[in-house]
Amino acid sequence: MNDMRKRHMKQIQTYAFAVKEAVLYLDTHPEDKTALAYFDKYRKLLREATRTYEEHYGPITADGTDTSRGWAWVLEPWPWELDAN
Amino acid sequence: MWIYEKKLQYPVKIKNPNAALAKIIISQLGGPDGELAASTRYLSQRFSMPYREVAGILTDVGTEELAHVEMISTILYQLTRNLTPEEIKKSGFDTYFVDHTTGIYPVAAAGVPFDAKYIGVKGDVFADLNEDLAAEQKARVTYDNLLRLIDDPDVCDPIRFLREREIVHYQRFGDALRISQDKMDEKNFYGWNPSFDKKVH
C-alpha cells in the first residue's frame, strides 16, 4: 500500500473509533442529545471517508467492491498483512 | 448477522519478528481472560437480557471483541513470520510450533487450549453483568502484565490500545448494571430473575 492509501485508512480507523465510542455510550444513554449529535457528525465523516477510499483504493466491505476492476475483495491485501498497516 | 470490514480497528505493524513475545501474547487470544472468551461471553449472554439497552451493549462490545481477536491474531502472525528453526528452538516457541507450525490456534500462554469454561452464562442479568465487569478487569491486568514483559514499541502500541478498551468496556458495563438495578423493584431487590420470572404485582 502506498503512503497516501495508508493515510486514508488511518483516517477511516480514526472516524470509526469515534463512531464506535458513541455507539457504546448511546447504548446505555439513548436519550443523550450531545452524544447523538457527536454520533451523527462522525458517522457522516466515516461514510464519506469510506466512500472515497473504496473509489480510489479498494473495498472495505465485499458490498463496496467496484466490479469493473474485477473482484478486488481478494486481490487487495488483507488487514493482517504487514503492508496493509 | 455480521458484515466483515476489511480493516483492523487499530493498526498493527511489527518490524521485528519475535516468537518469544508471541508465546506470551497468545494468552489474550486463547487464555482465560482473552479476547475470544470475551466475544463468546457477551454475544452469548445477550439473549437472556431482559432490557434492550443491556442487550445492545453486549452486542456492540461483543462485536468489538471480535475485532480484538483479529488484532491479537495479527500481532501473533506478524511476530512469527520468517522464523528459522534455530530461532524457534531458542525462543521456546517450539512447543507450539510442533503442533500448529505458525498457524493461529487459541491457547493460553502455558499451552492449554481455549475452553468454554473460561466464560459464564448464568441467564441472570446481575450475575452476568458482574461477571463481565470482572472479566474486563482481568483482561486489563493481563495486558498490564504483558506490558511489563514487552520492550518492543511496535508491539506495546497496539497492546496499550487494547488495554484502554478494557477500561472503557468496564465503564459501559457499569452503566448497564446501574440501568438494570434502577429497573428492579426496591422492595424485593434480588427476589426474582427478570430474565426468567414473570413479574407479579
Side-chain angles (χ1 to χ4, degrees), chain A residues 13 20-21 27 60 73, chain B residues 6 8 13 60 78 165:
Chain A
Q13 286 166 322
K20 184 77 198 183
E21 276 288 83
D27 283 347
I60 299 281
W73 184 243
Chain B
K6 202 170 171 177
L8 296 180
K13 195 176 184 67
D60 294 328
Q78 293 185 7
R165 300 309 293 156

Side-chain angles (χ1 to χ4, degrees), chain B residues 67-96:
Chain B
H68 297 173
V69 167
E70 185 180 40
M71 278 182 65
I72 290 289
S73 302
T74 298
I75 292 170
L76 299 171
Y77 166 78
Q78 293 185 7
L79 281 172
T80 56
R81 69 190 197 276
N82 306 326
L83 295 174
T84 65
E86 286 68 35
E87 285 166 335
I88 290 167
K89 274 191 268 184
K90 222 177 100 189
S91 62
F93 189 68
D94 52 348
T95 52
Y96 177 92

Side-chain angles (χ1 to χ4, degrees), chain A residues 56-76:
Chain A
H56 284 85
Y57 305 113
I60 299 281
T61 61
D63 187 54
T65 305
D66 173 1
T67 52
S68 70
R69 287 186 279 181
W71 191 237
W73 184 243
V74 295
L75 301 175
E76 298 293 327

